[in-house]
Every structure is written in C-alpha cells, then in structure tokens.
Amino acid sequence: LREMDFGAFEMRSFEEMKEEPTYLAWITDETGDARCPGGESANEFKARVFRAFDALAQRGEPEREVRLVAPLG
C-alpha cells in the first residue's frame, strides 16, 4: 500500500503552488474527484486503500491480528 500519489504537486510547497489553477481547484474540491496532475484524486486514493483493506479482510485468517500504522495527515 502506497501513500497518495500527488503527481506534479509532490515535494512542492504551498508557497510554490498557491496561485496555480490546478492546485487551487484540487484544494477547494469538495467532491474528492479533482485529481493532482499526474497523480490521483482523493476518491481514487480512498478506493485503492479500501481495496487493500478488503483484501486483508478476505484472507480468512481470523486468528491473526492485523495492525495498521499510518500518519495522521
């Protein structure tokens, strides 16, 4: 499982992008459908994460404990 693909926004600061139309559209999008150029949208990311969680749940190993560690932001 990988973190969200920020595409062209990767490793760039707010100061660098604050006036770019594609960045402004992405940060103000309330639907989750706006995609980072060359990356993925919030909805695509969520769907990918949920598929990974579902795959873990379908493994059929109830005696095993699965722990998820993730950053908060």
Side-chain angles (χ1 to χ4, degrees):
L1 188 58
R2 300 175 328 269
E3 63 183 32
M4 185 170 174
D5 183 354
F6 291 101
F9 301 155
E10 192 73 41
M11 303 301 292
R12 295 181 64 203
S13 70
F14 170 77
E15 285 300 315
E16 292 176 89
M17 300 185 295
K18 67 183 179 185
E19 295 181 23
E20 287 186 30
T22 54
Y23 178 71
L24 295 173
W26 180 69
I27 64 170
T28 58
D29 174 50
E30 294 183 5
T31 67
D33 290 331
R35 178 181 283 160
C36 302
E40 64 188 337
S41 71
N43 286 335
E44 290 168 329
F45 173 66
K46 284 192 280 187
R48 185 166 54 81
V49 170
F50 289 151
R51 282 192 306 272
F53 288 170
D54 286 344
L56 282 173
Q58 298 300 318
R59 290 175 98 175
E61 301 176 45
E63 68 282 352
R64 292 189 66 190
E65 185 174 294
V66 176
R67 293 180 188 216
L68 174 68
V69 179
L72 219 183

